[in-house]
Amino acid sequence: MAYNFDRFVGRIAAIRPASGLFDDQIVEVEVHDWIASLATSELGIREIETNKRADEALTTALTAAIFQPERIDFDTGLETFLEVFNTDAPNTSLASFFQKMARNEWGRIYQTGDGTLIFENRTHRQNIVDPAFALNGEMSEFDIEYDKTAIRNIIQVIVQTATTDAADITLWSLPGAPAILSGQTLTFECAYTDPDTEVKISAIDVDDPPFYEFGSVQNFTSDDMHADLVVAMEIGANKAKVFLTNTAATTGYLNDLQLTGKGIHLNDPILIERRNEDSIYSGIGEQRLVVWLEQITDLGTAENRANELLAEYGAPIGRPIWLSFCASQDPALAYAALNIEPSTRFAVSESITEANRDYYVERVAFRMDGPYLWVDILASPEGD
């Protein structure tokens, strides 16, 4: 049986010419999928947005991507976050931002084989009712591993509320008094800092234009060329870019530049802990799961999340983690296997391991061993 792997979408990174002798020549083509570029991308400057769902925040963040996904398919987020982009450093990658949104929503973000970027909210899998395929006791090459190390019987959820200044503070001030030549443009990247603690912060209501002094003398006070300096700003949540152009016929000196606005200061982290003592004393011992919920500001929501995580991961039983099977035994199974994506639901009926239930795909890998197609799946039981 021949297998078609052309559904992978990627950008060509390298082509190595034909190698080998006679009939064994091979041309190697290396492709990188779109999502691989996100780890090196910078989220850039984004203003703080209020009352946004995860799908809305992801849509905004994608505008910072140099390359765009082939298409997107986003569920409506179930959580409404009071502020978005307020906890991201200026150099936060898109991959890191995606991970944070998935963690706070308790959903999933991934790319399918046809290049679609998927966002699933945490109720998505409940609507997938029918298994796409079944593995039953007739499968001779089938293995399920039970891994008790996957149990987490101590759940620690960390939330961090914030306080916003009632009045403007100085977010950034210019060191020195640089010269700006006639017609020259200087660009400053101004990361906001708490003037009292020197800790990096985010801010809202940043003044545009900023306060500045521009003069013919480099003395930190001269401002006689104020009208000759054209100032433009790109204001973000954690920093601003300031562009200053000298339109005069002579050199001027930037004697002062200050950014002011209302700072957002993170309060001390609050830790919410839930424990499954039966699991701990069953011989498994203490196994922790620490989850940061940076976007969650309601403590009741955080407590509910801790309870849900403990219910899912805290039971003192083995949880099916990996399973492998040979898809080449049956054409229909091989076809179904090649269409597996994350969240695909499938059924297992196997008498020896008593794993008689449905599962959802978390990750999938294909490998060829001679003429045989093998499939490795990281699976979560239905209901988890």
Side-chain angles (χ1 to χ4, degrees):
M1 179 183 296
Y3 300 103
N4 183 4
F5 288 93
D6 64 359
R7 70 189 181 95
F8 176 80
V9 174
R11 291 181 171 82
I12 294 176
I15 299 178
R16 286 174 280 277
S19 59
L21 300 174
F22 305 107
D23 295 331
D24 295 327
Q25 293 187 3
I26 299 174
V27 176
E28 295 182 352
V29 179
E30 180 181 343
V31 293
H32 294 168
D33 67 355
W34 166 82
I35 210 165
S37 68
L38 300 185
T40 57
S41 301
E42 290 188 355
L43 187 59
I45 297 176
R46 285 286 175 268
E47 289 187 84
I48 290 177
E49 297 192 358
T50 58
N51 299 317
K52 295 296 182 181
R53 304 184 308 269
D55 55 301
E56 296 172 320
L58 292 169
T59 300
T60 299
L62 275 176
T63 61
I66 298 174
F67 301 108
Q68 296 295 314
E70 297 291 325
R71 60 193 66 83
I72 62 174
D73 185 4
F74 290 170
D75 284 348
T76 299
L78 301 181
E79 298 284 354
T80 299
F81 303 121
L82 183 62
E83 293 177 336
V84 179
F85 303 117
N86 60 314
T87 61
D88 301 297
N91 61 346
T92 297
S93 68
L94 279 168
S96 176
F97 183 77
F98 283 9
Q99 182 186 55
K100 182 182 72 173
M101 285 295 102
R103 181 174 64 249
N104 282 267
E105 170 71 25
W106 202 8
R108 302 167 191 85
I109 302 173
Y110 59 91
Q111 186 184 22
T112 59
D114 67 356
T116 303
L117 180 66
I118 302 289
F119 162 65
E120 296 177 354
N121 64 35
R122 62 179 176 272
T123 65
H124 181 95
R125 289 183 176 178
Q126 299 174 11
N127 299 319
I128 305 174
V129 178
D130 298 322
F133 63 96
L135 303 174
N136 54 51
E138 297 176 356
M139 296 289 294
S140 59
E141 299 292 339
F142 179 73
D143 180 52
I144 294 181
E145 297 180 7
Y146 287 85
D147 188 0
K148 290 188 176 182
T149 63
I151 293 173
R152 295 293 181 264
N153 46 36
I154 300 177
I155 304 297
Q156 294 178 330
V157 168
I158 301 175
V159 293
Q160 199 164 14
T161 59
T163 302
T164 302
D165 292 316
D168 285 357
I169 64 171
T170 300
L171 301 170
W172 185 90
S173 59
L174 176 71
I180 305 180
L181 304 178
S182 176
Q184 183 183 26
T185 298
L186 291 186
T187 302
F188 292 93
E189 294 199 7
C190 312
Y192 311 144
T193 303
D194 186 320
D196 296 326
T197 63
E198 298 185 353
V199 172
K200 300 297 183 184
I201 60 174
S202 55
I204 58 173
D205 299 337
V206 178
D207 291 334
D208 182 8
F211 172 83
Y212 67 91
E213 292 176 336
F214 187 58
S216 57
V217 181
Q218 190 182 39
N219 61 1
F220 296 96
T221 59
S222 175
D223 195 32
D224 58 332
M225 296 176 63
H226 190 96
D228 296 317
L229 192 67
V230 175
V231 181
M233 297 181 67
E234 291 180 3
I235 299 174
N238 302 280
K239 73 174 181 178
K241 286 185 178 180
V242 183
F243 308 90
L244 305 111
T245 304
N246 180 7
T247 61
T250 59
T251 297
Y253 298 92
L254 186 62
N255 286 308
D256 199 359
L257 176 63
Q258 296 182 22
L259 272 63
T260 55
K262 295 180 177 63
I264 300 176
H265 310 266
L266 293 176
N267 300 319
D268 291 337
I270 299 171
L271 187 146
I272 299 171
E273 182 174 282
R274 296 292 184 269
R275 301 167 63 95
N276 185 325
E277 301 293 346
D278 291 340
S279 173
I280 293 172
Y281 291 107
S282 69
I284 295 174
E286 296 185 350
Q287 298 187 163
R288 287 176 171 80
L289 173 64
V290 181
V291 181
W292 275 87
L293 298 179
E294 307 94 323
Q295 302 298 134
I296 303 298
T297 56
D298 180 74
L299 295 183
T301 300
E303 290 176 351
N304 291 337
R305 190 69 57 82
N307 293 333
E308 293 165 350
L309 287 169
L310 184 64
E312 179 173 354
Y313 293 107
I317 58 174
R319 302 180 69 242
I321 300 298
W322 286 101
L323 55 91
S324 301
F325 64 93
C326 179
S328 304
Q329 301 179 54
D330 180 77
L333 181 59
Y335 177 82
L338 287 174
N339 286 279
I340 291 174
E341 297 283 6
S343 293
T344 296
R345 182 169 179 160
F346 64 100
V348 169
S349 176
E350 214 285 324
S351 59
I352 296 178
T353 60
E354 298 181 351
N356 300 307
R357 62 184 302 179
D358 287 0
Y359 296 85
Y360 292 110
V361 173
E362 299 291 348
R363 298 179 185 175
V364 59
F366 303 97
R367 51 193 170 89
M368 294 298 299
D369 185 1
Y372 302 108
L373 172 65
W374 288 83
V375 182
D376 299 325
I377 296 177
L378 173 65
S380 292
E382 180 275 330
D384 289 354

